[in-house]
Amino acid sequence: PDVYIRGADASFLWNFCKGYVSIWLQMVMVTCFGVVFSTFLSGPVAMFATLVTYIVGLFKEFIVGVASGEQVGGGPLESFIRLITQKNVSIELDMGPVVDVVVKVIDGVFMFFMWVAAEVFPDYTSFSTSKFVAYGFNISGTLLTQHCLTTLAFTLVLSVFGYFFLKSREIAG
C-alpha cells in the first residue's frame, strides 16, 4: 500500500523560466500603465499614479474586503476617526447621530471608488508564481496562458487609451 508510481519530473529550468515569464508579464503591465499615465501627466505624477496602480493591484483582496464591508472597522474615514479617538473596532463610533450618518455616507462614497479601482486594475498577486517554483510544483501551461492573455488584454486597452490621450494632447507651438 505504500508503493506508488510517480510520473516523470518536469524540468526545473523550464519551470524557472515560466516563473520569470510571469514576473516579466507583471513588468509589462506596470510599464504600460506608466506609459499611459505619462501621456497626460507630468513625470513624477505619472510615476506616483503607476505606483498607486501597482499597490492597488497587490492589495486587491483587502481593498475589496474593506469596500464590501467584510473587514471590520468601517471605511477609510471611520478608521481614521477611530485612530484619532483611539476607539476599538468592537465598540460603536458614537459621535452623535448626525456625525455617524455623515461618516457612513462619506465612507460609502470612498468605498465605492475603492471597489471600482480594485476591479479595474490588475490583480498582481495572481501573477505570483514564485511559490510554485520554490516548492517544486510545475507552473501549468493554462495558468501561464491565462497570465499572457490578461497581459495582452491590458496592453491592448492601455495602448488604445494612450494613443487617444496622446492624440488629443495639445502641443505648444
Side-chain angles (χ1 to χ4, degrees):
D2 59 347
V3 175
Y4 62 93
I5 299 174
R6 187 175 71 162
D9 289 333
S11 168
F12 173 77
L13 182 62
W14 178 239
N15 202 37
F16 191 70
C17 290
K18 289 191 280 188
Y20 267 119
V21 168
S22 294
I23 295 170
W24 179 76
L25 292 172
Q26 290 181 48
M27 289 176 15
V28 167
M29 282 196 295
V30 170
T31 304
C32 285
F33 274 106
V35 169
V36 169
F37 287 141
S38 70
T39 60
F40 62 93
L41 298 172
S42 67
V45 177
M47 188 175 73
F48 181 72
T50 305
L51 181 66
V52 167
T53 61
Y54 186 68
I55 290 172
V56 168
L58 284 178
F59 297 105
K60 180 178 181 170
E61 289 181 29
F62 176 73
I63 291 171
V64 169
V66 169
S68 65
E70 293 173 6
Q71 295 284 335
V72 293
L77 184 60
E78 183 178 339
S79 296
F80 180 72
I81 291 171
R82 288 184 184 278
L83 278 173
I84 299 298
T85 59
Q86 295 186 1
K87 289 190 177 181
N88 195 339
V89 294
S90 61
I91 61 172
E92 291 295 323
L93 197 57
D94 200 27
M95 301 284 290
V98 175
V99 175
D100 286 347
V101 170
V102 168
V103 166
K104 295 283 185 199
V105 168
I106 293 173
D107 268 348
V109 172
F110 281 152
M111 290 190 293
F112 172 74
F113 285 112
M114 287 171 57
W115 178 80
V116 167
E119 292 300 321
V120 167
F121 297 136
D123 183 12
Y124 290 109
T125 57
S126 69
F127 280 77
S128 177
T129 55
S130 61
K131 289 188 179 178
F132 285 98
V133 176
Y135 295 131
F137 292 107
N138 187 34
I139 300 170
S140 70
T142 56
L143 181 64
L144 199 58
T145 304
Q146 181 183 6
H147 291 172
C148 289
L149 291 175
T150 302
T151 303
L152 180 66
F154 271 101
T155 302
L156 290 176
V157 170
L158 289 172
S159 296
V160 169
F161 278 131
Y163 172 77
F164 285 115
F165 287 146
L166 195 60
K167 195 75 170 165
S168 65
R169 188 175 185 181
E170 291 185 21
I171 299 174

